[in-house]
Amino acid sequence: MAKVRECLLEFAKQARELYLNESVSYLECPPSPLEFYRDWITPNKPCIIRNAFNHWPALTKWNPSYLREKVGTKIISVAVTPNGYADAVFQGRFVMPEERRMPFASFLDIVEQKCSANGVFYIQKQCSNLTEELPELAGDLETHIPWMSKALGKKPDAVNFWMGESAAITSMHKDHYENLYCVISGEKQFILIPPSDRPFVPYELYHPATFHEQEDGTFSIVEEECVDKVPWIPLDPLNPDLEQFPEYPNARPLTCTVKAGEMMFLPSLWFHHVQQSHGCIAVNFWYDMEYDIKYNYFQLLDSLSQATTES
């Protein structure tokens, strides 16, 4: 296995030398579908695009007052946790948030600190919640990105609405989507790790569980029954335990901030960790990735990484 580990280190080194940038690049305007496919999707590289959705009314309309008027009475799904971490490793389990149904106006009261509540609240349901739960807002933007849809030859699988408190943090993970992430107000801070650094990103299996607020306001952890364990990343890139995860220093994370009016292209299979400013509003578009040779090679890399960990 020492030889395999040596090869994995060389593989990651070559990826950095041959195609990865040392920082996330900026584009001052949206590219053509051909340019975007050739320069960013095919090489699987992230970028931040400015002036990509200046024409959306959402940029000027979406504030608490407008949202109260437009969708204040709508019942929406809100993730509630005691610590801000939804879908993350906690106390040896993979813990999901309590999913609470509440009027949008009540959620806004919490974010604007007009009332107190136990826990951290975050609208983050990833099942095209903008079109499914908040269709009244769809007229303030596009429900797909035309040049991206043309580049890929398909529409997005999901269009998601995100809004929450600054304490809400997305733990490190990856998705099987080509992701366009648009910040409407506030800002998002991303830590990105390329798929080629998979050997240095730890994965372990965890029993799934869910947070549940009790009558006294504290949160308990309720384990799911009769379900498979979930593979997840236990490492916190904000405070990595290098004694427990000695391979992590070999990774080369990129950091970037996506500000209001900016769009980030987050390629499929990139590991990412996300923080946000308080009350930040964003919309993202998930386009299903192609399960081609790129995916096959990542699966091979993933298997080799697991083998070196288990040996």
Side-chain angles (χ1 to χ4, degrees):
M1 281 302 167
K3 183 64 176 177
V4 173
R5 182 181 180 279
E6 183 180 330
C7 290
L8 293 175
L9 285 165
E10 182 62 24
F11 173 84
K13 178 183 176 182
Q14 288 183 3
R16 295 176 197 127
E17 293 174 349
L18 294 174
Y19 87 97
L20 289 174
N21 298 330
E22 293 185 357
S23 61
V24 177
S25 299
Y26 282 82
L27 308 181
E28 291 302 321
C29 62
S32 71
L34 176 60
E35 289 172 333
F36 196 68
Y37 193 84
R38 179 190 63 203
D39 297 340
W40 304 100
I41 298 175
T42 296
N44 195 243
K45 295 197 299 184
C47 64
I48 295 173
I49 308 165
R50 293 172 171 146
N51 304 303
F53 54 99
N54 291 347
H55 55 292
W56 289 2
L59 272 176
T60 55
K61 285 186 173 182
W62 284 10
N63 57 48
S65 296
Y66 176 80
L67 294 174
R68 281 182 189 278
E69 178 183 349
K70 194 78 172 178
V71 292
T73 59
K74 291 297 296 286
I75 304 299
I76 56 167
S77 301
V78 180
V80 184
T81 62
N83 57 4
Y85 282 86
D87 301 332
V89 175
F90 183 70
Q91 295 183 358
R93 305 173 183 89
F94 172 71
V95 188
M96 296 169 282
E98 176 182 329
E99 189 174 293
R100 195 171 299 177
R101 300 283 290 171
M102 62 192 304
F104 200 111
S106 298
F107 167 78
L108 289 173
D109 286 342
I110 294 168
V111 172
E112 293 186 282
Q113 300 176 340
K114 292 183 176 181
C115 68
S116 61
N118 293 313
V120 179
F121 289 67
Y122 193 19
I123 300 176
Q124 59 134 44
K125 189 162 186 175
Q126 300 150 46
C127 58
S128 205
N129 67 338
L130 187 133
T131 56
E132 296 299 319
E133 292 193 341
L134 299 167
E136 296 86 354
L137 299 178
D140 294 336
L141 42 69
E142 295 166 302
T143 54
H144 76 113
I145 305 299
W147 46 267
M148 181 66 154
S149 298
K150 188 171 183 179
L152 294 173
K154 55 189 170 187
K155 297 289 180 65
D157 280 5
V159 184
N160 302 311
F161 176 95
W162 307 77
M163 184 178 183
E165 302 180 80
S166 59
I169 297 175
T170 302
S171 69
M172 183 71 75
H173 70 288
K174 70 179 189 307
D175 298 308
H176 295 81
Y177 291 102
E178 311 296 351
N179 188 355
L180 289 178
Y181 207 102
C182 307
V183 176
I184 307 297
S185 68
E187 62 182 36
K188 297 266 185 174
Q189 298 87 35
F190 286 82
I191 298 174
L192 308 175
I193 298 178
S196 50
D197 279 356
R198 166 61 185 91
F200 321 127
V201 177
Y203 265 91
E204 295 179 17
L205 291 173
Y206 297 93
H207 196 91
T210 305
F211 284 121
H212 177 69
E213 186 179 3
Q214 302 180 98
E215 291 184 2
D216 63 359
T218 62
F219 283 81
S220 62
I221 297 175
V222 181
E223 290 198 359
E224 303 287 326
E225 296 182 1
C226 303
V227 292
D228 294 334
K229 288 187 175 182
V230 176
W232 206 257
I233 300 168
L235 178 136
D236 179 1
L238 299 175
N239 185 29
D241 184 339
L242 301 184
E243 184 175 337
Q244 184 177 2
F245 308 114
E247 293 295 329
Y248 183 68
N250 292 307
R252 294 294 183 272
L254 303 178
T255 60
C256 65
T257 298
V258 185
K259 299 179 180 180
E262 295 180 339
M263 170 191 291
M264 184 174 73
F265 170 55
L266 177 57
S268 56
L269 304 176
W270 274 67
F271 303 98
H272 51 286
H273 173 282
V274 193
Q275 296 174 279
Q276 63 187 353
S277 60
H278 193 78
C280 177
I281 303 174
V283 173
N284 84 304
F285 300 80
W286 269 344
Y287 288 82
D288 198 14
M289 71 174 291
E290 294 297 322
Y291 291 88
D292 52 14
I293 192 66
K294 175 178 66 178
Y295 177 75
N296 293 142
Y297 274 126
F298 180 80
Q299 290 299 96
L300 173 61
L301 182 62
D302 185 59
S303 297
L304 292 172
S305 301
Q306 290 183 47
T308 57
T309 301
E310 295 168 358
S311 63

